[in-house]
């Protein structure tokens, strides 16, 4: 299975981005509004400058409440792991596990085309296992 297959199965393929200059307070509002765990940081909505997650906010907020008025660029991860729609889901699962990340931007020709979360991957895997179970059940009951 390819990442593009998982992306196409999502209810929405929209990717919410935020400017590096936006405040962490604005970031929190967008995370809540869109019910997502991370946003891609981008100046233009196409190039990936970074990624920022709920974890990033919580870790910084614990140390300093003033972070709410800081720029997103101050807490984002700038070294972003990305993937391509043609990459395999199994490889992505390994990357997410090894690097302890839950959200990976999907890019094509340097342009942001989607985002895939660990929840998307798990949902896809459950669907595959249910299909295999149903096929085996059908086979067993036919003989």
């Amino acid at each position: 299975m390819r990442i593009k297959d998982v992306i196409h199965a999502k209810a929405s393929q929209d990717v919410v981005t935020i400017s590096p200059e936006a405040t962490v307070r604005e970031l929190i509002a967008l995370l809540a509004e869109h019910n997502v765990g991370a946003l891609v940081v981008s100046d233009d909505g196409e190039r990936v400058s970074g990624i920022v997650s709920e974890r990033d906010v919580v870790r910084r907020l614990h140390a300093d409440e003033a972070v709410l008025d800081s720029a997103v660029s101050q807490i984002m991860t700038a070294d972003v792991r990305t993937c391509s729609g043609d990459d395999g889901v199994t490889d992505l699962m390994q990357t997410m596990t090894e690097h302890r990340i839950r959200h990976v931007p999907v890019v094509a020709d340097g342009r942001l085309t989607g985002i895939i979360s660990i929840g998307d991957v798990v949902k896809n895997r459950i669907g595959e296992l249910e299909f295999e179970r149903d096929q085996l059940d059908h086979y067993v009951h036919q003989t």
Side-chain angles (χ1 to χ4, degrees):
M1 171 98 24
R2 300 279 168 222
I3 289 168
K4 63 184 170 190
D5 301 321
V6 177
I7 295 290
H8 290 301
K10 291 174 66 165
S12 171
Q13 285 88 36
D14 294 338
V15 182
V16 183
T17 63
I18 191 163
S19 164
E21 292 83 31
T23 66
V24 173
R25 192 177 306 275
E26 293 170 306
L27 165 70
I28 292 168
L30 279 174
L31 289 169
E33 177 185 340
H34 295 281
N35 195 30
V36 293
L39 297 180
V40 174
V41 182
S42 176
D43 287 316
D44 60 8
E46 291 188 356
R47 287 178 292 130
V48 177
S49 302
I51 193 164
V52 63
S53 71
E54 295 165 325
R55 280 182 179 180
D56 297 321
V57 174
V58 170
R59 287 180 179 145
R60 291 296 297 271
L61 189 57
H62 175 71
D64 179 17
E65 288 182 28
V67 76
L68 292 173
D69 297 314
S70 298
V72 167
S73 60
Q74 298 298 308
I75 68 167
M76 73 180 191
T77 299
D79 184 22
V80 183
R81 301 223 176 254
T82 63
C83 63
S84 152
D86 291 325
D87 292 345
V89 174
T90 304
D91 293 335
L92 178 65
M93 289 190 299
Q94 185 171 355
T95 298
M96 289 176 139
T97 302
E98 285 176 6
H99 299 283
R100 298 180 48 88
I101 55 178
R102 296 189 236 180
H103 301 86
V104 178
V106 182
V107 295
D109 299 321
R111 205 177 111 254
L112 179 66
T113 61
I115 188 164
I116 190 163
S117 72
I118 192 71
D120 300 328
V121 172
V122 169
K123 181 179 179 181
N124 173 263
R125 187 66 183 127
I126 289 171
E128 287 178 341
L129 292 171
E130 287 174 343
F131 176 77
E132 289 175 13
R133 179 205 59 210
D134 292 346
Q135 292 296 310
L136 287 170
D137 186 55
H138 178 73
Y139 175 77
V140 167
H141 289 96
Q142 261 191 339
T143 56

